[in-house]
Amino acid sequence: MRKLIAAFNMTLDGFCDHTAGLPDEEIHQHYTELLRNGDAILYGRITFELMEFWRSILENPSEQKSMNDFAIAIDRIPKIIFSHTLEKVDWESATIAKRDLKNEVLELKQQSGKNILVGSRSLIIQLLKLNLIDEFQLCIHPMVEGKGLALFEDIHKRINLKLLNTKILGSGAVILYYQPKKKPEKKQ
């Protein structure tokens, strides 16, 4: 059974968006490796449209090798898009989900292969509520943004996590690897 990994960048005060954080060579390398070790990545429409930026790097490579490597990795990994408004996508490695999020993810998890990644805030919130996330990889950037989208907005119950690992980057960013603690099943 494959794991579903929610990987996301956020600031110390818990905000996330595509402009939060300090992307550098080490961050790009980390996410490139994560993508290379995945079989699919799940996006909502908004995040998918933001990620299409990387197609321009494929067409006009950057002077930074780490950005070019990330662009290649994001291009290659199959992307499954969850949207009520998109009717088609023209990125060869992207498809629009045919089922609802829960059923799509349950089927993907049953297949053999590498991990499934999720990189959209809205999907992370929905999947967390469905208790389908197996691991979080939260990259906390050493900055206070003071505004923005809270990653764990609209979560109304306590979710306990077990720290699996940490990775400290040269920029001062810290990647925290967490596993949601499963609640013990009630005896009948």
Side-chain angles (χ1 to χ4, degrees), residues 102-165:
K102 180 180 179 180
N103 289 318
E104 187 81 31
V105 168
L106 286 172
E107 182 174 315
L108 286 169
K109 287 178 80 167
Q110 293 301 319
Q111 298 169 3
S112 62
K114 299 180 198 175
N115 296 327
I116 307 153
L117 310 171
V118 57
S120 285
R121 173 189 166 271
S122 63
L123 295 183
I124 290 171
I125 292 168
Q126 292 174 62
L127 291 163
L128 191 55
K129 289 179 179 181
L130 292 168
N131 198 30
L132 291 176
I133 295 177
D134 299 301
E135 184 178 309
F136 287 96
Q137 292 186 16
L138 302 176
C139 183
I140 312 297
H141 292 268
M143 61 189 292
V144 174
E145 186 70 17
K147 63 182 179 353
L149 297 171
L151 177 56
F152 296 110
E153 181 179 71
D154 198 32
I155 301 294
H156 301 291
K157 65 177 182 162
R158 177 181 292 166
I159 300 167
N160 293 317
L161 305 172
K162 176 184 177 184
L163 182 65
L164 302 173
N165 196 11

Side-chain angles (χ1 to χ4, degrees), residues 10 12 22 24 26-27 139-143 167-176:
M10 61 192 296
L12 192 58
L22 308 165
D24 62 11
E26 195 173 18
I27 293 280
C139 183
I140 312 297
H141 292 268
M143 61 189 292
K167 180 178 180 179
I168 300 171
L169 305 179
S171 66
V174 178
I175 301 172
L176 303 172

Side-chain angles (χ1 to χ4, degrees), residues 52-61:
E52 286 187 301
F53 160 80
W54 293 99
R55 293 171 74 182
S56 67
I57 301 294
L58 290 170
E59 295 167 11
N60 299 303

Side-chain angles (χ1 to χ4, degrees):
M1 187 160 163
R2 299 195 284 184
K3 285 195 313 187
L4 180 66
I5 298 174
F8 223 77
N9 289 301
M10 61 192 296
T11 61
L12 192 58
D13 53 347
F15 294 115
C16 59
D17 71 38
H18 70 285
T19 63
L22 308 165
D24 62 11
E25 182 176 335
E26 195 173 18
I27 293 280
H28 285 129
Q29 289 171 343
H30 170 79
Y31 283 109
T32 298
E33 193 62 30
L34 183 65
L35 290 169
R36 287 178 180 157
N37 288 314
D39 268 346
I41 189 163
L42 313 178
Y43 286 127
R45 178 192 57 83
I46 294 170
T47 306
F48 171 72
E49 289 174 348
L50 291 170
M51 296 310 287
E52 286 187 301
F53 160 80
W54 293 99
R55 293 171 74 182
S56 67
I57 301 294
L58 290 170
E59 295 167 11
N60 299 303
S62 165
E63 292 180 10
Q64 293 182 326
K65 181 182 181 319
S66 63
M67 286 182 67
N68 298 333
D69 291 346
F70 181 84
I72 291 166
I74 196 70
D75 183 55
R76 288 184 178 159
I77 191 167
K79 289 163 277 305
I80 302 170
I81 317 310
F82 292 85
S83 173
H84 297 292
T85 56
L86 276 180
E87 294 180 13
K88 64 178 184 159
V89 292
D90 67 352
W91 197 341
E92 189 175 315
S93 57
T95 57
I96 297 173
K98 294 175 180 34
R99 292 177 295 260
D100 64 35
L101 182 63
K102 180 180 179 180
N103 289 318
E104 187 81 31
V105 168
L106 286 172
E107 182 174 315
L108 286 169
K109 287 178 80 167
Q110 293 301 319
Q111 298 169 3
S112 62
K114 299 180 198 175
N115 296 327
I116 307 153
L117 310 171
V118 57
S120 285
R121 173 189 166 271
S122 63
L123 295 183
I124 290 171
I125 292 168
Q126 292 174 62
L127 291 163
L128 191 55
K129 289 179 179 181
L130 292 168
N131 198 30
L132 291 176
I133 295 177
D134 299 301
E135 184 178 309
F136 287 96
Q137 292 186 16
L138 302 176
C139 183
I140 312 297
H141 292 268
M143 61 189 292
V144 174
E145 186 70 17
K147 63 182 179 353
L149 297 171
L151 177 56
F152 296 110
E153 181 179 71
D154 198 32
I155 301 294
H156 301 291
K157 65 177 182 162
R158 177 181 292 166
I159 300 167
N160 293 317
L161 305 172
K162 176 184 177 184
L163 182 65
L164 302 173
N165 196 11
T166 60
K167 180 178 180 179
I168 300 171
L169 305 179
S171 66
V174 178
I175 301 172
L176 303 172
Y177 298 77
Y178 284 108
Q179 178 183 59
K181 288 185 178 179
K182 302 293 182 191
K183 293 179 183 170
E185 294 184 26
K186 295 179 182 178
K187 294 181 181 180
Q188 307 234 352

